[in-house]
Amino acid sequence: MTEPTGTSKDREEPTGGEQSSAEAGGAATAEQRARGGERPEAGEVEQATDEAGVAPEGGTRPAATRERSGMFGVRGSGDTSGFGGLRLPGYAPAPAERPYGGWFDDLADDLAEALDERSIPRAAIEQVTVDRGEITFYVARERVLELARIFRDDPNLRFELCSSVSGVDYSAPDGASVVKPMHVVYHLLSMTYRRRIRLEVALDFADPHVPSVVEVYPTADWHERETWDMFGVVFDGHPALTRILMPDDWEGHPQRKSYPLGGIPVEYKGAEIPPPDQRRAYS
Amino acid sequence: MSTTDDLDAREAQAVRDAYAAQQRETTEGTVYTVTGGDWDTLLDSEHDDRIVINMGPQHPSTHGVLRLVLELEGETVTQGRTVIGYLHTGIEKNCEYRTWTQGVTFVTRMDYLAPLFNEAAYCLGVEKLLGVEVPRRAQHIRVLLMELNRIGSHLVCLATGAMELGALTGMTAGFREREEVLHLLEHLTGLRMNHAFIRPGGLAQDLPEDWKEKVTDFVKVMKSRLPDYDKLLTGQPIWRQRLEGVGYLPVDGCLALGATGPILRSAGLPWDQRMVEPYSGYEEYDFEVPTATEADCYARYRLRVAEIHESLKIVEQAVQKLEPGPVMVSDRKIAWPAQLSIGSDGMGNTLEHVRKIMGQSMESLIHHFKLVTEGFHVPAGQVYSTVESPRGELGYHLVSDGGTRPVRVHVRDPSFVNLQCMPAMSEGGMVADVIAAVASIDPVMGGVDR
């Protein structure tokens, strides 16, 4: 055996290395995964626990109750045929701890100051995650518009450009329940300070409402329409929230995980092709 | 036949006239549906000149399957709206069902005029998720390919823009030079478009042996032909009059509407990812970011020509910088197991590799099979990676849950965002200027609709 053979990733040998703080949590991360989507412990998140008695308004982290099993990472049954399917563990980003490193600390300080100035509770920021050199603020849904305004207008923040608004559906592929699986993700860019940040809002499919940021960032118009079209997220206050990529009379929101790929029967000379996710595949 | 019969027949004929103007009353007033050559009956003194026209989605001047709805007051556009989605192919959704490596072949088909930028931005994101560093040679080859691609993309913009404004010689000249770019890219990567040449971890294979001569020859040809564009278009009075002062969008409008690339730089902000957030070794190159302050279509045209010159400078430097070395990361859990080669029956895995996996090492065969079918695992997390595409900030938001397939691939395509500027650029102008404005935005519908 002259070369490494295993592409199956055991928990002990992650492919990526140690750059990821979300991965490096070790035992703490595992424990947090086991808890799955609960709100962070006191002291874990500075923004959420600074003011006594103010609790974050619900867990933002995607639940991580699933264990990896099946396929080439197989345990127990010994089935390596691939027909058992692959179940992956859920992903729960770990909250970052001070110091975040680099300009992240300055940014967090400036943000905290700006929040206090406008008497917005710091609990509006539910969690801060620093991963692979990028900072993510998990924010409370009701505060998105105010926060966007602060991020754009505060002289120490100055995020002039909203690069993109999109959605991520964190639903488990096997149907396991996930707390607030629908995330809306905003990428902001500060040209003044040359910084990029990410805001993330977690929603339930039962109540997929989030305030629109179009009045702060007009460029979000089409982004939000696309997110509505693809995920069914309703942006309250959007000037004209209509479908943009799919036809106007389309039913369903194609980018949701519950929506099959190619599951719409296409009539072509009487033939019908099964959707790709129902065809035989290796993983 | 009596005369009354004749009259009836004529009346019946009139009822059946398919081109007669229809009118109906609505809450907003009388709506006329005009289908034929009866405009003179409408544009008389008792009706106003307000007309809503639909332009596209199949129209030679809309730069692809783009539909414009224009409200006209005579020749003046009072309102313009863009309708997109005619080229939606669900690439983002498809990526979720393929391995990370297979994703390259999807994303390269989005912005089909800048395929290598899509591949590069996607691969930079995957590599950031993996935490791997691409070998130096692969980085510089990426830069070389991207800059060649930028030249080709800008040439298409000039060519189609010229065609839409009626300067057909500009079209033939632009496509002639673009053909040179495509020939070169075909020689270097194997395909004219949709290369899938840049892969997570490096490149699909190394450049062919005679790449240096081919690239140097190309630079020589381009340098001899680029001055022709100045003769043909830059100083030409008709070209200038069609473009100067048209499609004006100042810098605050650009930022509010999210416009990047030549549109933003034509308004005076020298924002270029290659300069401000260097990736793939751009910090080692000596080039300039051309800017203008007129913020009109003519400034954007001039910037694109200037950027072609800058790209040629970068290509020349990349030729000098390229040193022999690997083009794929050494981590065998990520690197594609086989190198490609040209055999007597076409391109495929190298014979040595086939000999090894089929005849010598069972473990190599397993390794090859698993990496190709299952793919490599990408640690859970999310990244946003950007490159400066010919049209502006091309961003990839990639989310992994630790598996071999992406949870989400979202593309912030610059064409999609920049196209939102169309109403701001063209409302209040003449209807002919809409064409110039859309051409200066240079939207590629494959990227807009994805």
Side-chain angles (χ1 to χ4, degrees), chain B residues 172-372:
Chain B
T172 51
F175 275 111
R176 179 189 64 192
E177 262 74 88
R178 192 238 185 174
E179 204 58 27
E180 299 285 342
V181 178
L182 292 187
H183 279 314
L184 180 61
L185 286 178
E186 182 183 16
H187 185 75
L188 296 178
T189 70
L191 290 166
R192 286 158 59 87
M193 294 169 79
N194 306 331
H195 313 271
F197 187 72
I198 299 174
R199 300 274 175 86
L203 303 171
Q205 57 179 322
D206 207 340
L207 296 178
E209 273 172 22
D210 58 344
W211 68 271
K212 203 165 191 170
E213 295 86 75
K214 296 275 183 187
V215 174
T216 322
D217 288 350
F218 167 79
V219 172
K220 226 176 273 172
V221 169
M222 282 306 293
K223 283 197 166 165
S224 70
R225 289 195 187 164
L226 271 181
D228 293 352
Y229 285 85
D230 291 336
K231 286 186 201 152
L232 182 66
L233 297 172
T234 310
Q236 192 215 84
I238 304 174
W239 185 251
R240 293 185 65 146
Q241 282 172 20
R242 286 300 304 274
L243 296 183
E244 271 177 340
V246 169
Y248 177 73
L249 190 69
V251 69
D252 50 348
C254 287
L255 288 180
L257 293 169
T260 46
I263 302 177
L264 183 58
R265 290 194 287 274
S266 77
L269 190 64
W271 185 263
D272 187 320
Q273 312 279 334
R274 295 176 291 175
M275 271 298 188
V276 296
E277 300 174 322
Y279 50 90
S280 199
Y282 265 111
E283 62 273 13
E284 296 176 30
Y285 291 86
D286 175 33
F287 64 102
E288 275 163 32
V289 179
T291 53
T293 50
E294 294 89 348
D296 60 1
C297 294
Y298 187 64
R300 283 168 217 137
Y301 158 76
R302 278 193 295 115
L303 288 189
R304 290 202 171 94
V305 176
E307 281 182 22
I308 294 177
H309 285 283
E310 294 301 320
S311 291
L312 283 176
K313 262 166 70 179
I314 299 177
V315 167
E316 283 179 315
Q317 293 171 43
V319 170
Q320 298 303 320
K321 280 184 202 298
L322 270 184
E323 283 160 14
V327 294
M328 185 53 105
V329 290
S330 54
D331 186 348
R332 306 208 70 125
K333 288 189 174 181
I334 296 168
W336 197 250
Q339 283 296 310
L340 295 173
S341 75
I342 308 283
S344 55
D345 54 347
M347 191 162 71
N349 293 336
T350 52
L351 280 177
E352 298 84 72
H353 182 71
V354 175
R355 197 174 297 131
K356 189 177 178 191
I357 61 173
M358 299 310 289
Q360 294 168 355
S361 168
M362 182 66 179
E363 289 75 20
S364 295
L365 179 64
I366 297 171
H367 173 73
H368 181 112
F369 175 76
K370 285 169 70 174
L371 201 54
V372 172

Side-chain angles (χ1 to χ4, degrees), chain A residues 1-9 13-17 19-20 22-23 33 66 68 71-73 86 88-91 131-134 136 138 160-170 173 185 187 189-191 194-196 198 200 217-223 225-226 230-231 244-246 254-257 259-261 276-277 279 281-283, chain B residues 82-86 88 90 92-94 96-99 128-132 254-260 264 269 271 273 275-277 331-334 356 361 363-364 366-367 369-371 373-386 393 397 399-412 415-417 419-420 448-450:
Chain A
M1 197 155 48
T2 50
E3 56 181 70
T5 55
T7 44
S8 61
K9 194 190 84 174
E13 38 163 4
T15 325
Q19 78 292 342
S20 152
E23 283 287 306
R33 285 186 172 176
R66 288 170 292 132
R68 188 199 150 97
M71 272 301 293
F72 299 119
L86 176 68
L88 289 165
Y91 168 57
D131 184 21
R132 294 173 172 89
E134 297 181 10
T136 309
Y138 292 82
E160 301 98 344
L161 190 78
C162 176
S163 276
S164 97
V165 181
S166 74
V168 183
D169 183 355
Y170 280 100
V185 185
H187 287 100
L189 165 66
S190 164
M191 289 175 163
R194 297 191 181 173
R195 294 167 172 176
R196 285 180 191 276
R198 181 186 297 119
E200 211 163 320
Y217 294 114
T219 178
D221 183 348
W222 281 18
H223 292 294
R225 279 177 65 190
E226 189 191 326
M230 291 294 149
F231 290 95
I244 185 164
L245 295 180
M246 302 303 284
Q255 283 273 11
R256 286 190 180 181
K257 292 288 180 189
Y259 192 100
L261 175 71
D277 58 332
R279 286 181 223 154
Y282 294 101
S283 63
Chain B
T82 328
V83 183
I84 62 169
Y86 296 96
H88 179 56
E92 292 181 2
K93 178 88 172 173
N94 266 297
E96 295 168 14
Y97 290 83
R98 311 288 157 145
T99 65
K128 204 171 175 187
L129 277 171
L130 287 166
V132 297
C254 287
L255 288 180
L257 293 169
T260 46
L264 183 58
L269 190 64
W271 185 263
Q273 312 279 334
M275 271 298 188
V276 296
E277 300 174 322
D331 186 348
R332 306 208 70 125
K333 288 189 174 181
I334 296 168
K356 189 177 178 191
S361 168
E363 289 75 20
S364 295
I366 297 171
H367 173 73
F369 175 76
K370 285 169 70 174
L371 201 54
T373 55
E374 196 190 37
F376 50 78
H377 291 265
V378 173
Q382 57 181 335
V383 295
Y384 183 72
S385 72
T386 57
E393 178 186 319
H397 179 218
V399 185
S400 173
D401 64 353
T404 59
R405 296 167 172 192
V407 169
R408 176 91 168 108
V409 176
H410 176 70
V411 186
R412 186 259 191 223
S415 302
F416 176 81
V417 186
L419 199 52
Q420 289 190 88
V448 174
D449 295 338
R450 284 155 286 140

Side-chain angles (χ1 to χ4, degrees), chain B residues 77 91 100 244 416:
Chain B
V77 179
I91 287 176
W100 289 94
E244 271 177 340
F416 176 81

Side-chain angles (χ1 to χ4, degrees), chain A residues 13-282:
Chain A
E13 38 163 4
T15 325
E18 291 78 37
Q19 78 292 342
S20 152
S21 75
E23 283 287 306
T29 317
E31 187 205 336
Q32 173 213 332
R33 285 186 172 176
R35 285 202 313 271
E38 281 171 30
R39 71 166 66 120
E41 294 287 332
E44 242 182 322
V45 184
E46 183 202 284
Q47 275 79 0
T49 50
D50 261 8
E51 289 178 29
V54 179
E57 290 149 57
T60 50
R61 287 177 237 159
T65 48
R66 288 170 292 132
E67 281 289 311
R68 188 199 150 97
S69 67
M71 272 301 293
F72 299 119
V74 67
R75 313 264 190 296
S77 76
D79 168 30
T80 54
S81 67
F83 287 101
L86 176 68
R87 285 159 56 104
L88 289 165
Y91 168 57
E97 279 169 28
R98 292 277 198 158
Y100 303 144
W103 50 267
F104 297 145
D105 292 293
D106 293 341
L107 178 79
D109 292 340
D110 291 336
L111 174 63
E113 214 172 277
L115 288 176
D116 292 345
E117 246 172 57
R118 289 164 183 77
S119 57
I120 294 173
R122 289 192 181 189
I125 308 288
E126 294 176 340
Q127 183 184 322
V128 181
T129 293
V130 176
D131 184 21
R132 294 173 172 89
E134 297 181 10
I135 190 163
T136 309
F137 294 96
Y138 292 82
V139 306
R141 168 171 74 173
E142 308 76 33
R143 303 285 184 184
V144 172
L145 184 58
E146 289 165 276
L147 284 171
R149 201 180 298 276
I150 291 173
F151 274 118
R152 187 193 67 177
D153 291 346
D154 191 273
N156 292 323
L157 300 171
R158 281 206 196 287
F159 287 86
E160 301 98 344
L161 190 78
C162 176
S163 276
S164 97
V165 181
S166 74
V168 183
D169 183 355
Y170 280 100
S171 300
D174 53 6
S177 82
V178 176
V179 181
K180 294 190 176 177
M182 183 64 238
H183 287 216
V184 180
V185 185
Y186 305 79
H187 287 100
L188 306 184
L189 165 66
S190 164
M191 289 175 163
T192 309
Y193 299 109
R194 297 191 181 173
R195 294 167 172 176
R196 285 180 191 276
I197 59 166
R198 181 186 297 119
L199 307 184
E200 211 163 320
V201 183
L203 307 169
D204 264 323
F205 282 119
D207 179 27
H209 287 263
V210 69
S212 166
V213 298
V214 171
E215 61 180 83
V216 177
Y217 294 114
T219 178
D221 183 348
W222 281 18
H223 292 294
E224 291 185 352
R225 279 177 65 190
E226 189 191 326
T227 312
W228 151 251
D229 195 356
M230 291 294 149
F231 290 95
V233 175
V234 182
F235 291 89
D236 297 318
H238 188 284
L241 196 66
T242 52
R243 287 192 183 271
I244 185 164
L245 295 180
M246 302 303 284
D248 292 344
D249 55 353
W250 196 262
E251 278 178 28
H253 300 283
Q255 283 273 11
R256 286 190 180 181
K257 292 288 180 189
S258 57
Y259 192 100
L261 175 71
I264 305 302
V266 178
E267 206 175 298
Y268 183 70
K269 296 188 176 177
E272 206 174 296
I273 304 165
D277 58 332
Q278 287 169 28
R279 286 181 223 154
R280 204 177 115 181
Y282 294 101

